[in-house]
């Protein structure tokens, strides 16, 4: 009841912002009924197709991509179950539909007890798996009470977040204690979960699934079709700046204009993080005196090579992982402000020369592993980024060495998906045994 009151108050206070974004950007309009009231009995029946369910929750695009290997393995190892996927954002929903099919995807209910209870009762999953960490008290409490054990796959918990949870332990400790199993990315995360209230025997270090999910083959149709679409010549050196936040595109455009006259082989691809910024980024390119070729506007193949005065803007969702495979030089966005960085494993797995900014707290351990192995470079600001890009153009062997080192690091850390599947299978078997005994 207390949690419901907090959520209702927060929703009321944020309603002007929500309404503005609904009207201005079209956000939050879809799935309102599911989010506020939960999924209906008929909807749950269509999702499960008469089979027992395993429910995986992935907040947005990153988590939807993350669980792809888990979904595939669970479908193979447990054909008697229907694997269903929930998400919280429009972009995450669209990608999940593309990957898993519309008949297996739904919007996750907000953490109001009535919405959560209705969804869980109608879906009746044998297991609920949360990607990374979605600490919703009502969801975890009600799922546990209704006999659906809650697992966390690829769990990460920063020192700052853990300290915050411990500060309000009287509110959060019970939620952590209810988790049936946690697959942590590293030993530090294990210790933080224990400190927050999860029993030590329910946590194990599985490593990061992101290492397993990083694509590495540039010869796939997904990569080659984009190379052909963009009209890229073999002599081009493509610089992809992905998952960008405000300010990062401006920085990349200025650097590109500064370098391209002396390095006509350089080409720039921008991939903004958020849909609502696509038009603004297109304007940034145009205002800089460059042509912008938008991925969403024209899907036909280029008949001629890609000119140096044209910037590719990838204004579509779910494509970045393939565009990294087009790059020889890669800069991971969200790292020059306070966002905390984005996944730098994908460009590294392709063997691109990877750089990122000073703030990578969301991927702290991964970033450090790559840097220590000589597989990535951290730059402090625009001048250092320009130096990095220019070095990759003038000293190609060194740039290639960065890519090879990144690939070695990723290969050494793979296997988390299988360890996670093994643990989930064990818990699912234990849960089924308890149900039969009851």
């Amino acid at each position: 009841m207390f949690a419901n009151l907090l959520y209702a108050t927060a929703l009321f206070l944020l309603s002007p912002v929500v309404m503005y974004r609904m009207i201005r950007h079209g956000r939050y309009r879809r799935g309102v009924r599911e989010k506020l009231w939960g999924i209906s009995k008929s909807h749950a029946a269509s999702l499960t197709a008469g089979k027992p369910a395993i429910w995986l929750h992935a907040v947005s695009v990153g988590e939807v991509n993350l669980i792809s290997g888990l979904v595939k393995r669970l479908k193979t190892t447990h054909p008697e179950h229907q694997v269903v996927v929930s998400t919280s954002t429009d972009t995450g929903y669209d990608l999940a539909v593309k990957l898993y099919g519309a008949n297996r995807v739904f919007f996750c209910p907000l953490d109001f007890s009535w919405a959560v209870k209705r969804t869980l009762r109608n879906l009746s999953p044998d297991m609920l798996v949360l990607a990374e960490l979605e600490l919703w008290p009502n969801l975890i409490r009600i799922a546990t009470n209704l006999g659906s054990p809650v697992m966390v796959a690829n769990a990460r918990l920063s020192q700052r977040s853990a300290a915050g949870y411990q500060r309000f332990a009287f509110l959060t400790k019970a939620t952590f204690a209810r988790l049936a199993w946690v697959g942590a990315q590293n030993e530090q995360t294990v210790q933080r979960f224990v400190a927050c209230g999860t029993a030590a025997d329910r946590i194990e270090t599985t490593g990061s699934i992101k290492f397993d999910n990083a694509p590495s083959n540039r010869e796939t149709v997904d990569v080659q079709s984009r190379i052909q679409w963009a009209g890229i010549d073999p002599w081009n050196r493509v610089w992809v700046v992905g998952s960008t936040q405000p300010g990062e595109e401006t920085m990349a455009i200025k650097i590109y204009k500064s370098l391209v006259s002396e390095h006509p082989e350089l080409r720039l691809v921008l991939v903004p993080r958020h849909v609502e910024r696509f038009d603004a980024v297109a304007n940034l390119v145009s205002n800089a005196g460059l042509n912008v070729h938008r991925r969403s506007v024209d899907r036909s193949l280029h008949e001629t090579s890609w000119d140096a005065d044209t910037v590719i803007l990838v204004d579509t969702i779910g494509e970045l992982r393939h565009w990294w495979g087009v790059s020889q030089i890669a800069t991971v966005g969200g790292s020059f402000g306070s966002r905390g960085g984005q996944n730098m494993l994908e460009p590294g797995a392709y063997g691109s020369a990877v750089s990122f900014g000073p703030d990578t707290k969301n991927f702290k351990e991964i970033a450090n592993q790559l840097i220590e192995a000589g597989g990535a470079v951290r730059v402090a600001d625009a001048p250092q980024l320009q130096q990095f890009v220019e070095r990759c153009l003038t000293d190609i062997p060194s740039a290639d060495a960065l890519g090879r080192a990144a690939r070695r690091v990723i290969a050494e850390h793979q296997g988390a998906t299988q360890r996670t599947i093994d643990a989930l299978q064990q818990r699912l078997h234990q849960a089924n045994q308890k149900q039969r005994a009851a």
Side-chain angles (χ1 to χ4, degrees):
M1 187 65 182
F2 178 69
N4 289 336
L5 182 61
L6 282 178
Y7 299 144
T9 302
L11 193 60
F12 174 76
L13 294 175
L14 292 172
S15 58
V17 176
V18 173
M19 291 300 295
Y20 171 78
R21 291 182 178 177
M22 287 178 71
I23 296 170
R24 180 69 176 82
H25 301 296
R27 296 177 66 183
Y28 312 127
R29 294 179 183 177
R30 297 161 60 190
V32 172
R33 186 176 182 85
E34 289 182 11
K35 293 174 183 177
L36 291 178
W37 304 110
I39 62 173
S40 65
K41 193 169 185 178
S42 60
H43 188 186
S46 68
L47 288 168
T48 59
K51 292 182 177 182
I54 298 175
W55 173 8
L56 278 74
H57 176 56
V59 180
S60 191
V61 170
E63 292 80 12
V64 170
N65 274 321
L66 175 77
I67 65 169
S68 59
L70 292 180
V71 172
K72 183 177 180 180
R73 299 279 187 92
L74 286 170
K75 287 167 106 176
T76 301
T77 56
H78 293 277
E80 74 282 2
H81 281 78
Q82 196 72 276
V83 181
V84 299
V85 175
S86 68
T87 187
S88 300
T89 67
D90 290 349
T91 53
Y93 183 89
D94 290 339
L95 181 59
V97 166
K98 181 179 178 181
L99 293 177
Y100 314 125
N103 59 337
R104 298 293 170 262
V105 178
F106 63 101
F107 281 105
C108 187
L110 297 176
D111 202 44
F112 292 110
S113 59
W114 57 83
V116 169
K117 191 174 295 184
R118 185 171 186 244
T119 298
L120 283 162
R121 281 180 171 169
N122 290 333
L123 198 58
S124 191
D126 285 349
M127 175 184 292
L128 168 58
V129 183
L130 308 176
E132 299 207 329
L133 179 62
E134 277 290 285
L135 193 70
W136 295 110
N138 281 335
L139 177 62
I140 294 172
R141 175 179 59 82
I142 294 171
T144 302
N145 290 345
L146 292 178
S148 298
V150 181
M151 322 290 182
V152 183
N154 208 58
R156 63 185 178 96
L157 184 60
S158 69
Q159 185 174 357
R160 181 178 178 180
S161 295
Y165 287 129
Q166 290 175 66
R167 194 175 300 119
F168 296 97
F170 65 98
L171 292 175
T172 63
K173 189 171 184 178
T175 301
F176 277 95
R178 290 188 177 100
L179 296 173
W181 177 80
V182 176
Q185 293 185 26
N186 50 55
E187 183 59 33
Q188 292 89 342
T189 297
V190 171
Q191 298 304 319
R192 290 166 190 160
F193 268 87
V194 171
C196 288
T198 306
D201 60 358
R202 297 183 182 182
I203 314 174
E204 59 184 287
T205 304
T206 55
S208 175
I209 293 173
K210 288 184 171 71
F211 285 98
D212 295 340
N213 285 354
S216 59
N217 186 3
R218 293 178 183 262
E219 301 305 316
T220 63
V221 172
D222 288 322
V223 174
Q224 290 299 312
S225 63
R226 285 159 178 81
I227 291 175
Q228 294 171 11
W229 175 82
I232 298 171
D233 284 338
W235 74 286
N236 288 142
R237 298 287 287 176
V238 180
W239 179 29
V240 173
V241 186
S243 287
T244 54
Q245 303 290 325
E248 293 176 335
E249 301 96 357
T250 301
M251 176 175 62
I253 292 167
K254 287 181 178 178
I255 292 171
Y256 178 68
K257 289 189 69 176
S258 176
L259 294 176
V260 74
S261 58
E262 292 188 17
H263 300 279
E265 74 277 15
L266 181 62
R267 296 293 184 270
L268 175 62
V269 177
L270 295 176
V271 192
R273 175 73 173 173
H274 295 116
V275 173
E276 62 269 21
R277 298 191 57 249
F278 289 161
D279 289 341
V281 176
N283 290 334
L284 286 175
V285 177
S286 298
N287 292 339
L290 298 168
N291 297 319
V292 58
H293 192 56
R294 300 180 67 155
R295 174 73 169 159
S296 65
V297 174
D298 181 7
R299 292 299 184 100
S300 61
L301 299 179
H302 279 203
E303 295 181 359
T304 58
S305 60
W306 174 10
D307 295 330
D309 63 353
T310 298
V311 171
I312 295 288
L313 173 60
V314 182
D315 55 348
T316 49
I317 297 301
E319 288 199 54
L320 176 56
R321 64 193 281 110
H322 307 307
W323 280 99
W324 288 130
V326 178
S327 71
Q328 287 79 40
I329 308 167
T331 299
V332 182
S335 57
F336 289 90
S338 58
R339 174 78 183 185
Q342 299 296 335
N343 186 2
M344 60 280 294
L345 289 176
E346 289 179 350
Y350 281 117
S352 299
V354 178
S355 63
F356 38 77
D359 185 4
T360 54
K361 59 178 176 287
N362 292 338
F363 296 86
K364 182 178 179 180
E365 184 173 4
I366 290 173
N368 289 340
Q369 287 171 336
L370 288 172
I371 291 170
E372 289 170 5
V377 172
R378 187 191 302 280
V379 296
D381 50 26
Q384 286 192 14
L385 179 59
Q386 180 164 331
Q387 291 172 10
F388 169 80
V389 176
E390 188 166 22
R391 189 164 61 250
C392 290
L393 295 168
T394 57
D395 189 356
I396 292 176
S398 292
D400 291 345
L402 271 175
R404 289 194 299 272
R407 281 187 157 184
R408 285 196 297 271
V409 172
I410 292 165
E412 290 168 0
H413 288 81
Q414 289 178 334
T417 300
Q418 187 57 55
R419 288 188 286 271
T420 301
I421 288 294
D422 291 343
L424 294 179
Q425 284 182 307
Q426 182 181 350
R427 270 68 186 182
L428 187 61
H429 178 69
Q430 292 172 350
N432 290 338
Q433 281 186 323
K434 287 182 180 179
Q435 289 178 359
R436 286 194 293 268

